[in-house]
Amino acid sequence: MSLQERKQRERADRARLIVATARELAEQHGWDAVTTRRLAERIEYSQPVLYSHFRGKREIIGAVALEGATEMAAVLRAATAAADGPRARAVALARAYLDFAEHNPAVYDAMFQLDGGLAFAREDTPAPLKDAFAALLESLAGVAGEGVDPALFTETFWAALHGLATLTRAGRLPPEHTGARVELLVDRLAVL
């Protein structure tokens, strides 16, 4: 391995360490606890080293969001792969989405609540975000209904899931009724 290749690998390893540490801090203490000073202390590098990888917290949030989008897409695909039929896929997708949001609150916030400097629904949308949407679309296109744009249906279904996730997490909706809400959402919105 050449010196340049080793330096590139070390740089990539440092960037992954920064993102993993930011994610860990955010999951434990919230995003307000994620500062460049605290990250530098945790990873035992100087703040200038952090800034050589990310221009600031916004870019770190964006990196966590991209990582989260990749993970969420995999979770959704795994959950729907075992489901038999369009309704079962839609229910499995909804449950997996809500579980992901519940078990990864800081990542979910990075993806959908905080400004990570990422473009959504545009030509320059990063590939992991496009793929996460594609994971939704793959399971929902078949239940959109005749004459309904599958992407528009998926956006609407996703918006409903996001509302359920954020309202439940904020204590505005009792969590014990999540299953009934999913069933209602699928039965009323999807064309089966």
Side-chain angles (χ1 to χ4, degrees), residues 3-161:
L3 180 60
Q4 184 179 3
E5 289 171 331
R6 185 173 57 85
K7 285 184 177 188
Q8 288 174 339
R9 187 187 61 188
E10 288 172 355
R11 180 170 175 72
D13 288 345
R14 271 194 312 272
R16 281 190 292 276
L17 178 61
I18 293 165
V19 171
T21 304
R23 185 174 173 168
E24 179 184 309
L25 274 171
E27 291 292 359
Q28 291 174 353
H29 306 290
W31 278 103
D32 287 341
V34 179
T35 64
T36 54
R37 178 181 301 232
R38 185 175 271 172
L39 283 173
E41 289 171 3
R42 283 267 179 115
I43 66 171
E44 298 178 350
Y45 283 102
S46 68
Q47 285 181 308
V49 170
L50 284 171
Y51 286 116
S52 75
H53 290 279
F54 300 98
R55 285 183 280 185
K57 184 175 176 177
R58 181 179 186 217
E59 283 189 5
I60 294 169
I61 290 169
V64 170
L66 294 176
E67 190 175 271
T70 299
E71 291 170 12
M72 186 177 79
V75 165
L76 297 179
R77 287 188 174 108
T80 58
D84 186 30
R87 184 184 188 285
R89 274 191 298 280
V91 169
L93 175 115
R95 288 183 178 153
Y97 182 96
L98 294 172
D99 285 347
F100 182 87
E102 179 185 355
H103 293 104
N104 302 283
V107 173
Y108 191 82
D109 284 349
M111 292 168 65
F112 302 121
Q113 302 286 99
L114 302 173
D115 178 10
L118 303 173
F120 282 81
R122 295 190 339 213
E123 287 291 320
D124 59 339
T125 298
L129 297 179
K130 287 181 179 180
D131 188 53
F133 184 77
L136 292 165
L137 182 62
E138 289 162 11
S139 291
L140 296 173
V143 297
E146 192 174 321
V148 176
D149 176 11
L152 184 61
F153 177 81
T154 300
E155 289 172 349
T156 303
F157 198 93
W158 172 31
L161 290 175

Side-chain angles (χ1 to χ4, degrees), residues 164-184:
L164 290 174
T166 56
L167 290 170
T168 301
R169 185 165 145 212
R172 305 303 195 270
L173 296 175
E176 63 270 15
H177 299 298
T178 298
R181 287 187 198 96
V182 166
E183 297 287 332
L184 183 62

